[in-house]
Amino acid sequence: MKKQRLTALALAAVLALSLTACGGGGEEPPEEEAGPQGVAVQVQEIAADTIYAENTVSGRLTAEDEDVIMVAVSAKCTAVYAEAGDEVKAGDVLCTLDLASTLSSYDAASIGYRSAVQSYNDQAAVFEKQIALQEKNVSDLKALFEIGAASQMEIDQAELQLQSSIATRNSTLAQLEAGMQSSKSNVEQLDTVLENVDARGNVIAPSTGTLVTMNAVEGSFVSNAAPVAVIDGVEQMKVVVQVSEALVPKLKAGDEADVTVSAAGETFTASIRSVERAANVQTKLYTVTLAAPSGVDGLLAGMFADVTFHTDVSENTVVVPTEAILTRGDVQYVYVVENGAARYVEVTVGLTGSGVTEVLSGLSAGQQLVTVGQAYLSDGDPVRIVGGTDAEGGAENAGGAENVDGTETAPEDGNETSPSGEDA
């Protein structure tokens, strides 16, 4: 029994030695290599540039010498001699309207006005002679009174008669003038109705150009709410827009604006010709007129145009991508890279627009601004730069904030949301 136990112990020892020898003959596993240190970020070199606010409003093109022909009464069209697209000359007959009653009223009103004027002038002449004689009578009586040949009572009666004649003259002429002005008003109203219309009801072209609109149709009625025709000279075009009270103080004649006419596929620079200082009573907007440069092809009166005004310009200022600026409460801040580490910098911002923001304090040209990855940084964190743009590339983004309703663009509040969904 004892011999069997010894034999088992010996076998166990031999097996243990064998296992130890097998394990000890293998190579040690390689140590895991350490990865790159720091937070991966992209940077941009800060540069000075120009930034401005942009305000975009919609308007339309009109011809410099556009003539709008209106007839301020509803009338039947009896003949049409031209159609839209035709070239017409000043004096050409465009159409004929049945305006017999209106022309008759105009003749009557003209006669009435001339009669009222004549009556006023005749009465004024009669009163003038009468009063002149009475004034002479008073003067003569005063001279006779000096030599005792007339009494004071005679002078008083003559002066009373003179004052009565003056009062009668003033009252009568005032009534005649009121009637004359009423007749004149009737004539002027009919003059407006019959502007560009001859005595036979023919509508006459007032200028040479292209007939861009022709609303008269033979056998139908023309409306007093729409033009009968519009003639476009097309030698020079202008752009007319309406702007808000917030924008109008920032515009002046001579300023330039970018104009895009989508229908013609053209974009050009136009200069402001005039800025009205009185708002439209109904819209409360101000009219701004810009002169389109000559030589731009495809522009036609009536086309819509988007006009972008550049205002609030800041030159030679620090401009950075807006997305690089983070916000915590009322504080706005960025990160810059210095000696391989992130540095927290609080900034004060100015104008904001088109993806860029002006930085008034906190940054200077030449610094390396973190533009991607900043939401994951803390002050002093080691960083690893994996990409970015140089100063020139960053400067290309300078521009302005777009506002399509004509009001001033306010700077953005700089709020940024980190990829994790939490405010940085």
Side-chain angles (χ1 to χ4, degrees):
M1 187 70 171
K2 186 176 182 181
K3 183 177 181 180
Q4 290 178 345
R5 184 181 300 170
L6 290 174
T7 301
L9 289 173
L11 289 173
V14 171
L15 180 60
L17 288 173
S18 175
L19 291 174
T20 300
C22 289
E27 294 184 359
E28 298 244 350
E31 292 185 3
E32 188 175 325
E33 294 183 1
Q37 298 298 311
V39 180
V41 297
Q42 292 185 10
V43 299
Q44 174 180 304
E45 184 178 337
I46 298 172
D49 206 338
T50 298
I51 188 173
Y52 47 79
E54 288 184 349
N55 298 268
T56 300
V57 294
S58 294
R60 76 180 191 95
L61 291 168
T62 62
E64 185 65 32
D65 54 353
E66 180 182 74
D67 280 307
V68 179
I69 303 172
M70 299 286 297
V71 176
V73 294
S74 179
K76 185 176 182 179
C77 176
T78 58
V80 176
Y81 309 107
E83 60 184 17
D86 288 351
E87 296 293 328
V88 297
K89 295 181 180 180
D92 285 353
V93 177
L94 304 180
C95 63
T96 301
L97 304 178
D98 183 3
L99 294 170
S101 61
T102 303
L103 289 167
S104 178
S105 298
Y106 178 77
D107 291 339
S110 297
I111 293 172
Y113 174 62
R114 289 195 296 269
S115 176
V117 171
Q118 186 64 46
S119 178
Y120 179 91
N121 292 335
D122 290 346
Q123 287 294 321
V126 170
F127 280 117
E128 176 137 355
K129 290 179 180 179
Q130 181 182 1
I131 291 172
L133 289 173
Q134 291 175 347
E135 288 176 338
K136 184 178 183 303
N137 185 42
V138 170
S139 178
D140 291 345
L141 287 173
K142 288 181 177 180
L144 291 172
F145 177 79
E146 292 294 331
I147 62 174
S151 66
Q152 182 63 47
M153 181 179 293
E154 290 175 309
I155 295 175
D156 291 344
Q157 288 178 344
E159 287 182 337
L160 183 61
Q161 188 177 14
L162 173 61
Q163 295 303 320
S164 177
S165 295
I166 291 174
T168 301
R169 179 198 64 182
N170 293 343
S171 175
T172 301
L173 291 183
Q175 292 178 1
L176 290 173
E177 184 176 7
M180 182 175 63
Q181 291 300 326
S182 176
S183 297
K184 182 181 179 181
S185 177
N186 290 336
V187 172
E188 289 177 343
Q189 289 179 2
L190 291 168
D191 268 336
T192 301
V193 172
L194 298 172
E195 185 179 12
N196 302 315
V197 177
D198 67 13
R200 294 184 295 277
N202 295 321
V203 177
I204 307 300
S207 62
T208 299
T210 303
L211 190 63
V212 294
T213 301
M214 186 60 177
N215 291 323
V217 178
E218 186 173 347
S220 298
F221 282 80
V222 297
S223 170
N224 57 356
V228 175
V230 177
I231 298 175
D232 179 4
V234 303
E235 292 182 358
Q236 179 68 38
M237 304 297 291
K238 60 185 178 182
V239 185
V240 180
V241 297
Q242 308 292 321
V243 303
S244 70
E245 62 180 10
L247 179 57
V248 72
K250 301 178 181 181
L251 305 178
K252 65 181 185 298
D255 289 349
E256 293 186 339
D258 295 331
V259 180
T260 300
V261 183
S262 299
E266 294 286 349
T267 297
F268 52 88
T269 300
S271 59
I272 296 177
R273 176 188 299 169
S274 63
V275 179
E276 289 190 0
R277 295 302 171 183
N280 181 283
V281 176
Q282 295 179 335
T283 65
K284 309 302 181 185
L285 298 176
Y286 297 78
T287 300
V288 178
T289 303
L290 303 95
S294 58
V296 181
D297 296 330
L299 300 184
L300 297 175
M303 286 183 173
F304 288 99
D306 290 327
V307 180
T308 301
F309 298 102
H310 299 168
T311 61
D312 302 318
V313 178
S314 289
E315 298 180 347
N316 196 30
T317 188
V318 172
V319 177
V320 303
T322 301
E323 63 184 8
I325 302 173
L326 304 176
T327 299
R328 181 182 292 114
D330 295 332
V331 177
Q332 291 180 289
Y333 61 96
V334 298
Y335 285 99
V336 296
V337 175
E338 293 182 355
N339 300 321
R343 183 168 72 85
Y344 168 91
V345 179
E346 293 185 359
V347 295
T348 303
V349 301
L351 296 177
T352 298
S354 292
V356 292
T357 296
E358 176 188 21
V359 175
L360 302 176
S361 65
L363 297 176
S364 59
Q367 290 181 292
Q368 296 293 312
L369 174 71
V370 178
T371 58
V372 176
Q374 65 272 27
Y376 300 104
L377 294 174
S378 296
D379 190 38
D381 281 350
V383 297
R384 177 165 48 92
I385 298 175
V386 296
T389 59
D390 57 18
E392 181 179 357
E396 291 176 354
N397 289 325
E402 181 174 330
N403 190 322
V404 296
D405 64 2
T407 58
E408 180 183 1
T409 301
E412 296 176 5
D413 60 10
N415 287 335
E416 293 287 343
T417 303
S418 67
S420 62
E422 299 176 356
D423 289 343

